[in-house]
Amino acid sequence: MIAVIGIGFVAALVSTWMKSDDWKPGRVTTEASGGGELHPVTIRQPDIQPLVATGELDAHGKPVMVACATCHDNRDPNYQANSGSALEEFHQGLKYDHGNQTCLSCHNSEDYNTLKQADGRAIALNESMTLCSQCHALQHRDYQNGMHGGMTGYWDLTRGGRTRNTCIDCHDPHHPKFPTVTPVFPPKPVIGENPATHDTPSSHHENHE
Ligand code: HEC
Ligand code: HEC
Ligand code: HEC
Ligand code: HEC
């Protein structure tokens, strides 16, 4: 009897584990059993175009943008490039600090308008979630479980939808370290002021007598 229950338990565990293989970004597994219609979980997709500003303005005063391919179609890719400070001809000032990876471990040397996955397939510039998750599987798993990346909206998806950030909302792909915040002491209360109530000294005359 106990053996049968045991086998059933293991089977249930295994099937949950197998199901977890096809998790998709933002898919919510725990809420599905609640019944009722579930509102969607939307992952923000920033509108990133494969364009850079030339620094010049057109006749209407708008910045002149050029496609990556305009220049890169006529240039040999530099597979060694791995630092911002080495860029002298263009993209000067690009701050880069992301392990010791080269630029072309993420950018697609076949088509600079796109990024590339580890297997060489091209993905759009704004598909950072797919890109980052290949190397940061741990954070991606945490993201899917709601422990990384934050969200706004409803916990209970039967009541309303939810919006989730994408990786580059918080991390610059070129220098992804989240800026550290230095803890400081809270401001000192002004002498004579009661910090707990923010009362002025005059309203508490009796305390000081
Ligand atoms: C006006 C021309 C121009 C445009 C437009 C341009 N680049 Fe570049 N790019 C360059 C030049 C020149 C270099 C080499 C800079 C150096 O090594 O000093 C470079 C270097 C790079 C590198 C380093 C690897 C390599 O092959 O040199 C990457 C990655 C890159 N560009 C990505 C892009 C992306 C993505 C875009 C579009 C968003 C873009 N570039 C648009 C001129 C351009
Ligand atoms: C970890 C992956 C990764 C690496 C490595 C990387 N990039 Fe990028 N890069 C991205 C992503 C993602 C975007 C699009 C999102 C954005 O614009 O912030 C981007 C955008 C760009 C752009 C267009 C927008 C902009 O910031 O001007 C340029 C130019 C560029 N990268 C150049 C480079 C160069 C040069 C290097 C190497 C010094 C490099 N990248 C290394 C992921 C990467
Ligand atoms: C090709 C593999 C690869 C890709 C793709 C990649 N990373 Fe990384 N990432 C690394 C490596 C390697 C390190 C450095 C680890 C170390 O130094 O310990 C790193 C470090 C980091 C760190 C820690 C930085 C620090 O200094 O503490 C963050 C945050 C990060 N990556 C975010 C991202 C984001 C966001 C993306 C997508 C835009 C991304 N990564 C794409 C390989 C990758
Ligand atoms: C809401 C903002 C936010 C989003 C969205 C976000 N992160 Fe982070 N991430 C952080 C913060 C904050 C830290 C720093 C935690 C710390 O320093 O302890 C961090 C740390 C990291 C680290 C470094 C971990 C370490 O131990 O040093 C990696 C790698 C990373 N994130 C990858 C990702 C990936 C991949 C995504 C997209 C699936 C993502 N992050 C989305 C806020 C975010």
Coordinates of all heavy atoms in Angstrom, one line a residue, residues 48-54 65-72 75-92 94 102-109 111-115 125 174, ligand 1:
I48 N 13.2 48.7 -29.9 CA 14.6 49.0 -30.3 C 14.8 48.7 -31.7 O 14.6 47.6 -32.2 CB 15.5 48.1 -29.4 CG1 15.3 48.4 -28.0 CG2 16.9 48.3 -29.9 CD1 16.0 47.4 -27.1
Q49 N 15.1 49.8 -32.4 CA 15.3 49.7 -33.9 C 16.8 49.6 -34.1 O 17.7 50.1 -33.4 CB 14.8 51.0 -34.6 CG 13.3 51.2 -34.4 CD 12.5 50.1 -35.0 OE1 12.9 49.5 -36.0 NE2 11.4 49.8 -34.3
P50 N 17.2 48.8 -35.2 CA 18.6 48.7 -35.5 C 19.2 50.0 -36.2 O 19.6 50.0 -37.3 CB 18.7 47.5 -36.5 CG 17.3 47.4 -37.0 CD 16.4 48.0 -36.1
L51 N 19.2 51.1 -35.4 CA 19.6 52.3 -35.9 C 20.5 53.0 -34.9 O 20.3 52.9 -33.7 CB 18.4 53.3 -36.2 CG 17.3 52.8 -37.1 CD1 16.0 53.7 -37.0 CD2 17.8 52.8 -38.5
V52 N 21.4 53.8 -35.4 CA 22.2 54.7 -34.5 C 22.2 56.1 -35.0 O 22.0 56.4 -36.2 CB 23.7 54.3 -34.4 CG1 23.8 53.0 -33.5 CG2 24.4 54.1 -35.7
A53 N 22.3 57.0 -34.1 CA 22.3 58.5 -34.4 C 23.6 58.9 -35.0 O 24.7 58.4 -34.4 CB 21.9 59.3 -33.2
T54 N 23.6 59.6 -36.0 CA 24.9 60.1 -36.6 C 25.4 61.3 -35.9 O 26.5 61.7 -36.1 CB 24.7 60.4 -38.1 OG1 23.7 61.3 -38.2 CG2 24.5 59.2 -38.9
M65 N 19.3 59.2 -38.5 CA 19.6 57.8 -38.0 C 20.0 57.0 -39.2 O 19.5 57.2 -40.3 CB 18.3 57.2 -37.4 CG 17.6 58.0 -36.3 SD 18.6 58.2 -34.8 CE 18.4 56.6 -34.1
V66 N 21.0 56.1 -38.9 CA 21.4 55.2 -40.0 C 21.3 53.7 -39.5 O 21.5 53.5 -38.3 CB 22.9 55.4 -40.5 CG1 22.9 56.3 -41.6 CG2 23.8 55.8 -39.4
A67 N 21.0 52.9 -40.4 CA 20.9 51.4 -40.1 C 22.3 50.9 -39.8 O 23.3 51.3 -40.5 CB 20.2 50.7 -41.2
C68 N 22.4 49.9 -38.9 CA 23.7 49.3 -38.6 C 24.3 48.8 -39.9 O 25.5 48.9 -40.1 CB 23.5 48.1 -37.7 SG 22.4 48.4 -36.3
A69 N 23.5 48.2 -40.8 CA 24.0 47.5 -42.0 C 24.6 48.5 -43.0 O 25.5 48.2 -43.7 CB 22.8 46.8 -42.7
T70 N 24.2 49.8 -42.9 CA 24.8 50.8 -43.8 C 26.3 50.8 -43.7 O 27.0 50.8 -44.8 CB 24.3 52.2 -43.4 OG1 22.9 52.2 -43.1 CG2 24.6 53.2 -44.5
C71 N 26.8 50.7 -42.6 CA 28.3 50.7 -42.4 C 28.8 49.3 -42.4 O 29.8 48.9 -43.0 CB 28.7 51.4 -41.2 SG 28.2 53.1 -41.1
H72 N 28.1 48.4 -41.7 CA 28.7 47.1 -41.4 C 28.7 46.2 -42.6 O 29.5 45.2 -42.7 CB 28.1 46.5 -40.2 CG 28.6 47.1 -38.9 ND1 29.8 46.8 -38.4 CD2 28.1 48.0 -38.1 CE1 30.1 47.5 -37.3 NE2 29.0 48.3 -37.1
R75 N 32.1 46.5 -44.0 CA 33.3 46.4 -43.1 C 33.5 44.9 -42.8 O 32.5 44.2 -42.6 CB 33.0 47.1 -41.8 CG 33.1 48.6 -41.8 CD 32.8 49.1 -40.4 NE 33.8 48.6 -39.4 CZ 35.0 49.1 -39.2 NH1 35.4 50.2 -39.9 NH2 35.8 48.5 -38.4
D76 N 34.7 44.5 -42.6 CA 34.9 43.2 -42.1 C 34.6 43.2 -40.6 O 35.1 44.1 -39.9 CB 36.4 42.7 -42.3 CG 36.6 42.4 -43.8 OD1 35.6 42.1 -44.5 OD2 37.8 42.6 -44.3
P77 N 34.0 42.1 -40.1 CA 33.7 42.0 -38.7 C 35.0 41.9 -37.9 O 36.0 41.3 -38.4 CB 32.8 40.8 -38.5 CG 32.9 40.1 -39.8 CD 33.3 41.0 -40.9
N78 N 35.0 42.5 -36.7 CA 36.2 42.4 -35.9 C 35.9 41.4 -34.7 O 35.2 41.8 -33.8 CB 36.6 43.8 -35.4 CG 37.8 43.7 -34.4 OD1 38.3 42.7 -34.1 ND2 38.2 44.9 -34.0
Y79 N 36.3 40.2 -34.8 CA 35.9 39.2 -33.8 C 36.7 39.4 -32.5 O 36.4 38.7 -31.5 CB 36.2 37.8 -34.4 CG 35.3 37.4 -35.5 CD1 35.7 37.5 -36.9 CD2 33.9 37.1 -35.3 CE1 34.9 37.3 -37.9 CE2 33.1 36.8 -36.4 CZ 33.5 36.9 -37.7 OH 32.7 36.6 -38.7
Q80 N 37.7 40.2 -32.6 CA 38.5 40.5 -31.3 C 37.9 41.6 -30.4 O 38.2 41.6 -29.3 CB 39.9 40.8 -31.7 CG 40.9 39.6 -31.6 CD 40.7 38.7 -32.8 OE1 40.7 39.2 -33.9 NE2 40.5 37.4 -32.6
A81 N 37.1 42.4 -31.1 CA 36.6 43.6 -30.3 C 35.9 43.2 -29.0 O 35.0 42.4 -29.1 CB 35.7 44.4 -31.2
N82 N 36.4 43.6 -27.9 CA 35.8 43.3 -26.6 C 35.9 44.4 -25.6 O 35.9 44.1 -24.4 CB 36.4 42.0 -26.1 CG 37.9 42.1 -25.7 OD1 38.4 43.2 -26.0 ND2 38.4 41.2 -25.1
S83 N 36.1 45.6 -26.1 CA 36.1 46.7 -25.1 C 35.6 48.0 -25.7 O 35.7 48.2 -26.9 CB 37.5 46.9 -24.5 OG 38.1 48.1 -25.0
G84 N 35.0 48.8 -24.9 CA 34.5 50.1 -25.4 C 35.6 51.0 -25.7 O 35.6 51.8 -26.7
S85 N 36.7 51.0 -24.9 CA 37.8 52.0 -25.0 C 38.6 51.8 -26.3 O 39.2 52.7 -26.8 CB 38.7 51.9 -23.8 OG 39.1 50.6 -23.6
A86 N 38.5 50.5 -26.9 CA 39.2 50.3 -28.1 C 38.5 50.8 -29.4 O 39.0 50.8 -30.5 CB 39.4 48.8 -28.3
L87 N 37.3 51.3 -29.2 CA 36.5 51.8 -30.3 C 36.9 53.2 -30.6 O 36.7 54.1 -29.8 CB 35.0 51.7 -30.1 CG 34.4 50.3 -29.8 CD1 33.0 50.4 -29.3 CD2 34.6 49.4 -31.0
E88 N 37.6 53.4 -31.7 CA 38.1 54.8 -32.0 C 37.3 55.4 -33.2 O 37.1 56.6 -33.2 CB 39.6 54.7 -32.3 CG 40.3 54.5 -31.0 CD 41.8 54.1 -31.3 OE1 42.1 53.9 -32.5 OE2 42.5 53.9 -30.3
E89 N 36.9 54.6 -34.1 CA 36.3 55.2 -35.3 C 34.8 55.5 -35.1 O 34.4 56.5 -35.7 CB 36.4 54.1 -36.5 CG 37.8 53.9 -37.0 CD 37.7 52.8 -38.1 OE1 37.0 53.0 -39.1 OE2 38.3 51.8 -37.8
F90 N 34.2 54.7 -34.4 CA 32.7 54.9 -34.2 C 32.3 54.3 -32.9 O 33.0 53.5 -32.3 CB 31.9 54.3 -35.4 CG 30.5 54.9 -35.5 CD1 30.3 56.2 -35.8 CD2 29.4 54.1 -35.4 CE1 29.0 56.7 -35.9 CE2 28.1 54.6 -35.5 CZ 27.9 55.9 -35.8
H91 N 31.1 54.6 -32.4 CA 30.6 54.0 -31.2 C 31.5 54.4 -30.0 O 31.5 53.7 -29.0 CB 30.5 52.5 -31.2 CG 29.7 51.9 -32.3 ND1 28.4 52.3 -32.7 CD2 30.1 51.0 -33.3 CE1 28.1 51.6 -33.7 NE2 29.1 50.8 -34.1
Q92 N 32.2 55.5 -30.2 CA 33.0 56.0 -29.0 C 32.1 56.2 -27.8 O 31.0 56.7 -28.0 CB 33.8 57.3 -29.4 CG 34.8 57.1 -30.5 CD 34.3 57.7 -31.8 OE1 33.1 57.7 -32.0 NE2 35.2 58.1 -32.6
L94 N 31.0 54.0 -25.8 CA 30.2 52.9 -25.4 C 30.9 52.2 -24.2 O 32.1 51.8 -24.3 CB 30.1 51.9 -26.6 CG 29.1 50.7 -26.4 CD1 28.4 50.5 -27.7 CD2 29.9 49.5 -26.0
T102 N 33.5 38.9 -26.3 CA 33.7 39.8 -27.4 C 32.3 40.4 -27.8 O 31.2 39.8 -27.5 CB 34.3 39.1 -28.6 OG1 33.3 38.2 -29.1 CG2 35.6 38.5 -28.3
C103 N 32.3 41.5 -28.5 CA 31.1 42.1 -29.0 C 30.3 41.1 -29.9 O 29.0 41.1 -29.8 CB 31.4 43.3 -29.9 SG 32.5 44.5 -29.2
L104 N 31.0 40.3 -30.6 CA 30.3 39.4 -31.6 C 29.9 38.1 -30.9 O 29.4 37.2 -31.6 CB 31.2 39.2 -32.8 CG 31.4 40.5 -33.6 CD1 32.3 40.2 -34.8 CD2 30.1 41.2 -34.0
S105 N 30.0 38.0 -29.6 CA 29.3 36.9 -29.0 C 27.8 37.2 -28.8 O 27.0 36.2 -28.7 CB 29.9 36.5 -27.6 OG 30.1 37.7 -26.8
C106 N 27.4 38.4 -28.9 CA 26.0 38.7 -28.9 C 25.5 39.3 -30.3 O 24.4 39.0 -30.7 CB 25.6 39.7 -27.8 SG 25.9 39.1 -26.2
H107 N 26.4 40.1 -30.9 CA 26.0 40.7 -32.1 C 26.3 39.8 -33.3 O 27.2 39.0 -33.2 CB 26.7 42.1 -32.3 CG 26.1 43.1 -31.4 ND1 25.0 43.8 -31.7 CD2 26.6 43.5 -30.2 CE1 24.8 44.7 -30.7 NE2 25.7 44.5 -29.8
N108 N 25.4 39.8 -34.3 CA 25.5 38.9 -35.4 C 26.4 39.4 -36.5 O 26.1 40.4 -37.2 CB 24.1 38.7 -35.9 CG 24.0 37.6 -37.0 OD1 25.0 37.0 -37.4 ND2 22.8 37.4 -37.5
S109 N 27.6 38.8 -36.7 CA 28.5 39.3 -37.7 C 28.0 39.2 -39.1 O 28.5 39.8 -40.1 CB 29.9 38.6 -37.6 OG 29.7 37.2 -37.7
D111 N 24.8 39.9 -39.9 CA 23.8 40.9 -40.1 C 23.7 41.7 -38.8 O 23.1 41.3 -37.8 CB 22.4 40.2 -40.3 CG 21.3 41.2 -40.3 OD1 21.6 42.5 -40.3 OD2 20.1 40.8 -40.4
Y112 N 24.4 42.9 -38.8 CA 24.6 43.7 -37.6 C 23.2 44.3 -37.1 O 23.2 44.8 -36.0 CB 25.6 44.8 -37.8 CG 27.0 44.3 -37.6 CD1 27.6 43.5 -38.6 CD2 27.8 44.6 -36.5 CE1 28.9 43.0 -38.4 CE2 29.1 44.2 -36.3 CZ 29.6 43.4 -37.3 OH 30.9 42.9 -37.2
N113 N 22.2 44.2 -38.0 CA 20.9 44.6 -37.5 C 20.3 43.7 -36.5 O 19.2 44.0 -35.9 CB 19.9 44.7 -38.7 CG 20.2 45.9 -39.6 OD1 21.1 46.7 -39.3 ND2 19.6 46.0 -40.7
T114 N 20.9 42.5 -36.3 CA 20.3 41.5 -35.4 C 21.3 41.1 -34.3 O 22.5 41.4 -34.4 CB 19.9 40.3 -36.2 OG1 21.0 39.7 -36.8 CG2 18.9 40.6 -37.2
L115 N 20.8 40.3 -33.4 CA 21.7 39.7 -32.4 C 21.8 38.2 -32.9 O 21.1 37.8 -33.7 CB 21.1 39.7 -31.0 CG 20.9 41.1 -30.4 CD1 20.0 41.1 -29.2 CD2 22.2 41.8 -30.1
L125 N 17.0 42.7 -32.3 CA 17.8 43.4 -31.3 C 17.0 43.5 -29.9 O 17.6 43.7 -28.9 CB 18.0 44.8 -31.8 CG 19.4 45.2 -32.4 CD1 19.5 46.7 -32.6 CD2 20.5 44.7 -31.5
H174 N 25.5 46.1 -22.1 CA 27.0 46.3 -22.2 C 27.7 46.4 -20.9 O 28.9 46.2 -20.8 CB 27.2 47.5 -23.1 CG 26.7 47.4 -24.5 ND1 26.1 48.4 -25.2 CD2 26.6 46.3 -25.3 CE1 25.6 48.0 -26.3 NE2 26.0 46.7 -26.4
Ligands
HEC1 C1 28.3 55.1 -39.3 C2 28.8 53.8 -39.5 C3 28.3 52.7 -38.4 C4 27.0 52.5 -38.1 C5 25.7 53.1 -38.6 C6 27.1 51.4 -37.1 N1 28.4 51.0 -36.9 FE1 29.0 49.5 -35.7 N2 31.0 50.0 -36.1 C7 31.4 51.0 -37.0 C8 32.8 51.1 -37.0 C9 33.6 52.1 -37.8 C10 33.3 50.1 -36.1 C11 34.7 49.8 -35.7 C12 35.1 50.8 -34.6 C13 36.5 50.7 -34.1 O1 37.0 49.5 -34.0 O2 37.0 51.7 -33.7 C14 32.1 49.5 -35.5 C15 32.1 48.4 -34.6 C16 31.0 47.7 -34.2 C17 31.0 46.5 -33.4 C18 32.3 45.8 -32.9 C19 32.6 44.6 -33.7 C20 33.1 44.9 -35.0 O3 32.8 44.1 -36.0 O4 33.9 45.8 -35.2 C21 29.7 46.1 -33.1 C22 29.2 44.9 -32.4 C23 28.9 47.1 -33.8 N3 29.7 48.0 -34.4 C24 27.5 47.1 -33.8 C25 26.7 48.0 -34.5 C26 25.3 48.0 -34.4 C27 24.4 47.0 -33.6 C28 24.8 49.1 -35.1 C29 23.4 49.5 -35.3 C30 22.6 49.7 -34.1 C31 26.0 49.7 -35.7 N4 27.1 49.0 -35.2 C32 26.0 50.8 -36.5 C33 30.5 51.8 -37.8 C34 29.2 51.8 -37.7

